[in-house]
């Protein structure tokens, strides 16, 4: 089970070459995509999530051709976009329960068990009856992970999740991701070196749409 990208390129209509032949193999566990703003991280993640198409290249995950078989990919994908919005007046419980229904969890008993397990896993159980509008940045990101985990994804994509979190929130978020990543491919984008150094088994550095280095974080970060 791995995500493979070969020759992935994307030029926006205004001429910006956001991805220029990206080659990456991303195994099970935590993979960090490190790069400055504008490097192409979000473009790559939206492309993998099949929310936008690329101009060239192949992308496969666990036997699925992402560019041809979007429906199969969506079944195994969890995606947490950057700056995702929440309905401020809805409680965590009600929102997650509603999303679980949309995911096809029709039966009340098993659905409530799933929702409860996810809120516990993300340390939000005690806050289940609070409205999402009152959540801190860290709670909101953990709620986003709970949402993204609803369909038991095999591939989890998280785009700049720790931006704006304070150190304690970042620590809790790191622990949560580390726990999840044991049997899932997790792709995390960030511009914060310590996110990848603390958390990831493998990483790549993206600059101006090119992978300029990849490998084990401690070795790579030493060479920066
Ligand atoms: P990152 O996530 O690393 O900050 P992005 O993927 O958002 O990088 O952006 C890569 C490059 O593509 C940047 O130069 C950005 O301005 C440009 N870009 C991103 N989205 C669009 C778009 N929809 N139209 C035109 N240019 C875009
Ligand atoms: P409804 O489905 O009518 O909206 P619920 O019974 O789902 O109402 O939820 C009412 C409240 O009860 C929720 O806010 C939640 O905190 C709590 N609750 C519901 N189901 C469970 C459960 N399985 N375990 C613990 N608390 C629950």
């Amino acid at each position: 089970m791995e995500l493979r990208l070969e020759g992935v390129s994307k030029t926006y209509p205004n001429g910006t070459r956001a991805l220029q032949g990206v080659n990456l193999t991303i195994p099970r566990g935590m993979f960090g995509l490190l790069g400055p703003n504008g490097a192409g991280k979000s473009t790559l993640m939206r492309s993998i999530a099949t929310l936008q198409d690329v101009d060239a290249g192949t992308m496969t995950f666990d036997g699925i051709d992402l560019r041809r078989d979007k429906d199969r990919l969506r079944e195994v994908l969890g995606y947490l976009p950057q700056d995702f919005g929440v309905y401020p007046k809805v409680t965590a419980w009600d929102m997650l329960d509603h999303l679980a229904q949309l995911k096809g969890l029709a039966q009340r008993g098993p659905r409530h068990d799933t929702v409860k397990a996810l809120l516990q896993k993300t340390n939000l159980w005690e806050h289940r009856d609070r409205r999402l509008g009152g959540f801190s940045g860290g709670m909101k990101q953990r709620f986003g992970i709970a949402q993204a985990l609803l369909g038991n994804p095999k591939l989890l994509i998280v785009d700049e999740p720790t931006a704006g979190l304070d150190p304690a929130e970042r620590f809790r978020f790191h622990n949560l991701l580390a726990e999840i990543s044991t049997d899932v491919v997790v792709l995390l984008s960030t511009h914060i070196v310590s996110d990848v150094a603390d958390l990831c088994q493998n990483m790549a550095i993206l600059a101006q749409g090119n992978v300029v280095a990849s490998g084990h974080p401690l070795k790579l970060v030493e060479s920066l």
Side-chain angles (χ1 to χ4, degrees), residues 73-148:
L73 191 265
R74 297 277 169 89
E75 281 172 19
V76 299
L77 174 77
Y79 173 57
L80 182 59
Q82 196 175 357
D83 301 326
F84 71 100
V86 292
Y87 291 99
K89 293 190 172 163
V90 180
T91 67
W93 174 275
D94 285 344
M95 190 71 222
L96 207 55
D97 190 52
H98 176 67
L99 291 170
Q101 289 184 51
L102 292 179
K103 275 269 172 188
L105 284 163
Q107 270 191 301
R108 206 161 183 271
R111 186 178 73 239
H112 281 185
D113 290 346
T114 300
V115 171
K116 180 175 182 179
L118 284 172
L119 288 171
Q120 286 174 330
K121 179 175 232 167
T122 51
N123 275 307
L124 292 171
W125 178 242
E126 64 190 280
H127 305 298
R128 62 190 176 280
D129 291 328
R130 282 178 63 179
R131 293 170 179 214
L132 295 170
F135 272 23
S136 70
M139 288 162 68
K140 199 180 134 214
Q141 289 299 345
R142 282 184 276 128
F143 186 74
I145 291 289
Q147 281 186 23

Side-chain angles (χ1 to χ4, degrees), residues 1 46 92 116 142 160 171-173 181 188 195 197 211:
M1 195 171 75
R46 285 196 302 269
K116 180 175 182 179
R142 282 184 276 128
E160 294 266 5
F171 180 74
R172 292 184 92 171
F173 194 77
S181 67
L188 166 88
D195 280 349
V211 175

Side-chain angles (χ1 to χ4, degrees), residues 12 14 16 18 36-43 46:
Y12 284 109
N14 66 3
T16 304
N37 285 332
K41 302 183 297 297
S42 292
T43 300
R46 285 196 302 269

